[in-house]
Amino acid sequence: MKRQNCYIYTRVSTSMQVDGYSLDAQREKLRKYAEYQEMHIAGEYSDEGKSGKNIGGRPDFQRMLDDIACGKDSIDFVLVFKLSRFGRNAADVLSSLQIMQDYGANLICVEDGIDSSKDSGKLMISVLSAVAEIERENILVQTMEGRKQKAREGKWNGGFAPYGYNLENGELKIAEDEAEAIRVIYDKFIHTNMGANGIAKYLNQHGYEKKQRQNGTLSTFSAHFVKLVLDNPVYCGKLAYGRRKTEKVNGARNEYHIVKQDEYPVYDGVHDAIISEEDWLLAQKKRKKTGIKNEKIYSIEHQHLLSGIVCCPECGQPMYGSVNRKRKKDGTFYRDYWYYACKHRLEFDGHKCTYKKQIHQEKVNSAVEEFVSKIVKNPKFEEAIKEKINTRIDTAEIETEIDSLNKKLRQLNMAKEKLGKTIDSLDVFDEFYNKKYDDMQLRLNGLYRDIAETEKELSAVYERLENIRKDKISQEKVYQFLLFFDIIYPKFTDAEKKEFLGSIIERIEINPEPTENGQILKKIKFRIPISYDGNDGNNEFFVPNEKMTVETVVLLSK
């Protein structure tokens, strides 16, 4: 009898142990069970500190399902300590179990005594997983109510203390070495024309050093930090509850996102205030006037195609789009001029870059588009790209395995038919008829078992082949677009051009000044395999200063 293969999966959602069992204790229990059942442990998977509310946040769980789906170890069972370790969301538990069973694997919950391969197993899993989900929701509701009540009492709800405070025995205490910067931020914002950028610059230039915290590693002040301070009522002695809320994504199962709330309750805190409530209200009044993002009314269709991809020639950080809006003498709109600029020249995030030049977007965009166009026009590139699309390197080994299994299956079926004919031709008057018949029947039964096992293996290999082909589809789409780049690209909207360029280009380096030949591009790093002048080592290469010889640029075919 074939020895059964199994995976072991363990999980704890926090540092707390589960029913007295740590991860190591769970593993030990599952290993002993596998040994007792004479199962071979083909792999162990573990998600420490991960919640069971959905599978999205559990990388090892997803890796385990992927390994089962591709038939990596021909798994018969997955062993878990308890069903709650497998998942607490009923839909996730049942869908994950269905995926496993589709590939011939079942679930055993050792402590619960559940085996999904048995008739009653899946029903029990359905009931217990629903109960586990209800339990999780109740715990969440109770936890949130407890936090809300704590906020009502003016007590800190946990987490890192905000800048300007230390946490002592669960209570906020003013940290004077940090609080002075908080006072300066409110003072400058209320009583001067400074905005968040100006205040951050003032602090950095006047000797204020930002202490590094667990929730903030920059040693300098940034505009983002200033805005967070101005929006937090904790500094006037208040505590806000529910400023951000986790909400379900419409139309998606088990997908959530954090949404900033326009309205939320604010309670009087028991901690000391750093600024007065009057200053807080004045700051909020100004924030409402200056913190509104202007709606785009000019050049609505325009997109910064290479924003975040083009890099500053001095500091190497990504450059972003900016606009210089020209108007007529009567003040009416004339036209927009678009540029890429380094944000760090404005002391972005506390870093200063001295490269102040703004690069015309049209020049960079056109240079990149021309470079890609020259590549794809090369006949060698077209030949290589078609070879890349039609390659069977990834599937050759699997197809060989399929041929071998099909051959084995044909041989077994032929042997079965031949043995069946031999049994039919036995002489019933032969004195050894019964012995011969029994022996042949045992052999026939063995052939049936071998045929069933081979068919199962063949089905699993076909599934692996299908998964590989599906993975190739998304990559091939990019190559197909490249093959018809000159025809398709000009018809794209700016938004489509930006998405496409971002899918094939990872990074663009530019010259601080155009070369004598007017070349602005220095180096391009592609996301897809490209070979240039024999450089097959990676996907990045220098753009030649002279006119490019397209015959030397080809796609790297693997």
Side-chain angles (χ1 to χ4, degrees):
M1 183 177 177
K2 179 190 171 185
R3 192 177 185 184
Q4 293 176 319
N5 294 325
C6 71
Y7 282 154
I8 282 177
Y9 177 74
T10 53
R11 178 184 66 82
V12 290
S13 57
T14 65
S15 58
M16 296 173 61
Q17 296 180 0
V18 181
D19 295 339
Y21 284 89
S22 64
L23 278 176
D24 289 337
Q26 290 180 56
R27 291 190 193 102
E28 185 62 24
K29 180 110 177 173
L30 296 176
R31 288 167 186 161
K32 287 182 178 178
Y33 179 89
E35 182 182 357
Y36 178 76
Q37 296 293 337
E38 297 184 347
M39 292 182 180
H40 168 64
I41 300 175
E44 296 187 8
Y45 303 79
S46 181
D47 285 309
E48 186 172 1
K50 305 295 183 182
S51 170
K53 66 180 181 181
N54 60 59
I55 65 174
R58 293 190 277 159
D60 246 32
F61 186 86
Q62 292 178 310
R63 185 166 63 87
M64 178 181 72
L65 291 183
D66 290 341
D67 288 347
I68 291 173
C70 70
K72 181 181 177 183
D73 298 297
S74 300
I75 294 302
D76 301 294
F77 289 98
V78 170
L79 307 184
V80 297
F81 178 63
K82 296 187 71 173
L83 180 61
S84 61
R85 300 305 90 204
F86 189 75
R88 286 184 176 271
N89 180 290
D92 273 348
V93 168
L94 296 178
S95 63
S96 299
L97 177 59
Q98 187 60 57
I99 290 172
M100 288 166 47
Q101 290 184 325
D102 287 344
Y103 294 97
N106 275 287
L107 177 68
I108 292 179
C109 309
V110 174
E111 192 73 2
D112 297 323
I114 298 174
D115 183 346
S116 69
S117 66
K118 297 178 180 177
D119 293 338
S120 60
K122 193 165 184 180
L123 176 61
M124 185 64 71
I125 288 173
S126 301
V127 174
L128 290 182
S129 59
V131 171
E133 182 174 4
I134 293 171
E135 178 188 355
R136 184 182 68 82
E137 294 296 335
N138 286 338
I139 291 172
L140 180 62
V141 170
Q142 292 169 10
T143 301
M144 297 311 293
E145 279 301 318
R147 290 182 177 177
K148 192 172 184 178
Q149 179 58 34
K150 204 170 182 181
R152 288 193 194 103
E153 296 171 0
K155 298 176 181 178
W156 183 244
N157 246 317
F160 298 125
Y163 195 85
Y165 287 95
N166 289 326
L167 202 57
E168 299 178 9
N169 298 321
E171 295 183 2
L172 295 179
K173 301 292 183 182
I174 294 177
E176 285 300 336
D177 56 342
E178 298 175 349
E180 185 57 28
I182 303 297
R183 297 185 184 103
V184 171
I185 288 173
Y186 276 90
D187 178 62
K188 295 299 180 185
F189 188 72
I190 295 168
H191 301 114
T192 71
N193 292 325
M194 287 185 185
N197 279 302
I199 295 172
K201 186 175 181 179
Y202 176 88
L203 290 169
N204 291 327
Q205 290 180 347
H206 286 78
Y208 292 92
E209 184 178 348
K210 181 175 175 289
K211 290 201 169 182
Q212 292 179 318
R213 293 287 206 92
Q214 302 96 322
N215 55 339
T217 57
L218 283 176
S219 60
T220 53
F221 294 93
S222 66
H224 177 67
F225 173 82
V226 171
K227 291 175 184 177
L228 290 178
V229 169
L230 292 170
D231 291 342
N232 197 339
V234 73
Y235 297 111
C236 70
K238 306 285 186 181
L239 284 176
Y241 178 81
R243 289 198 297 164
R244 292 173 180 81
K245 186 178 180 182
T246 301
E247 295 181 356
K248 189 177 183 297
V249 176
N250 288 333
R253 188 207 306 169
N254 298 328
E255 288 189 29
Y256 298 84
H257 59 163
I258 296 175
V259 180
K260 191 175 180 180
Q261 303 298 303
D262 294 327
E263 296 182 0
Y264 47 84
V266 177
Y267 304 103
D268 291 329
V270 296
H271 63 282
D272 294 328
I274 294 177
I275 61 158
S276 68
E277 187 172 348
E278 181 183 3
D279 282 350
W280 158 258
L281 293 173
L282 288 172
Q284 299 318 295
K285 187 177 179 180
K286 185 176 178 181
R287 281 287 286 150
K288 286 180 180 179
K289 290 181 180 179
T290 61
I292 299 173
K293 188 175 183 180
N294 294 326
E295 184 179 353
K296 189 175 182 180
I297 58 175
Y298 301 111
S299 305
I300 296 175
E301 298 299 324
H302 178 272
Q303 294 280 333
H304 308 298
L305 303 187
L306 300 172
S307 178
I309 299 176
V310 176
C311 296
C312 174
E314 182 172 314
C315 69
Q317 295 299 312
M319 302 177 78
Y320 296 92
S322 64
V323 61
N324 182 3
R325 184 156 292 123
K326 296 295 185 182
R327 299 181 182 274
K328 297 178 181 178
K329 290 182 179 180
D330 61 2
T332 57
F333 171 72
Y334 174 58
R335 67 167 294 183
D336 285 337
Y337 294 89
W338 304 98
Y339 302 90
Y340 294 118
C342 181
K343 276 192 174 182
H344 290 79
R345 68 192 177 88
L346 301 174
E347 208 160 13
F348 181 70
D349 283 347
H351 296 292
K352 183 82 170 179
C353 177
T354 58
Y355 187 77
K356 297 183 178 180
K357 187 174 181 180
Q358 298 189 81
I359 310 298
H360 281 280
Q361 288 189 14
E362 188 176 346
K363 290 182 179 180
V364 183
N365 296 347
S366 298
V368 171
E369 291 162 10
E370 180 184 0
F371 188 69
V372 175
S373 178
K374 285 181 178 179
I375 292 176
V376 300
K377 282 180 181 176
N378 177 17
K380 291 184 179 179
F381 178 86
E382 183 176 345
E383 181 183 338
I385 208 169
K386 287 180 179 178
E387 183 181 347
K388 182 69 178 177
I389 291 173
N390 296 324
T391 182
R392 297 183 60 179
I393 294 175
D394 290 338
T395 60
E397 186 177 341
I398 293 180
E399 288 172 348
T400 301
E401 189 176 353
I402 289 174
D403 290 341
S404 176
L405 288 170
N406 275 322
K407 182 179 179 180
K408 179 181 178 181
L409 192 60
R410 287 195 298 270
Q411 291 174 340
L412 289 170
N413 279 314
M414 288 174 62
K416 180 195 71 172
E417 291 175 8
K418 186 176 180 181
L419 186 58
K421 289 178 181 179
T422 304
I423 292 174
D424 291 340
S425 64
L426 284 175
D427 184 358
V428 294
F429 298 107
D430 189 332
E431 61 177 316
F432 300 111
Y433 173 82
N434 289 332
K435 277 192 172 184
K436 290 179 180 179
Y437 180 85
D438 289 343
D439 288 345
M440 289 184 183
Q441 194 62 49
L442 284 174
R443 287 171 57 196
L444 187 62
N445 290 339
L447 286 171
Y448 273 112
R449 282 194 296 270
D450 290 343
I451 288 170
E453 186 65 31
T454 304
E455 287 176 340
K456 183 179 177 181
E457 289 180 29
L458 190 60
S459 177
V461 175
Y462 271 121
E463 289 289 348
R464 285 162 55 197
L465 179 62
E466 184 63 22
N467 287 335
I468 288 174
R469 286 173 175 167
K470 285 179 180 178
D471 289 340
K472 285 182 61 182
I473 289 174
S474 58
Q475 187 182 33
E476 288 184 0
K477 284 181 180 178
V478 175
Y479 289 127
Q480 292 283 6
F481 274 131
L482 277 174
L483 200 57
F484 301 101
F485 178 81
D486 284 345
I487 300 173
I488 298 174
Y489 187 82
K491 298 178 181 179
F492 281 173
T493 64
D494 273 11
E496 290 169 335
K497 288 180 179 179
K498 182 174 182 176
E499 182 180 359
F500 176 70
L501 292 174
S503 70
I504 65 170
I505 299 174
E506 182 177 332
R507 178 183 175 89
I508 297 172
E509 294 182 19
I510 60 175
N511 296 307
E513 297 289 341
T515 64
E516 292 180 1
N517 294 319
Q519 179 61 268
I520 194 169
L521 301 180
K522 180 181 179 182
K523 186 192 291 186
I524 295 181
K525 182 176 183 180
F526 285 89
R527 297 184 187 275
I528 57 175
I530 297 285
S531 177
Y532 174 67
D533 277 348
N535 176 17
D536 298 341
N538 51 49
N539 295 344
E540 64 177 329
F541 47 85
F542 286 94
V543 178
N545 288 333
E546 67 278 1
K547 187 176 181 181
M548 185 177 67
T549 306
V550 298
E551 286 77 9
T552 62
V553 182
V554 297
L555 179 79
L556 175 60
S557 181
K558 293 184 178 179

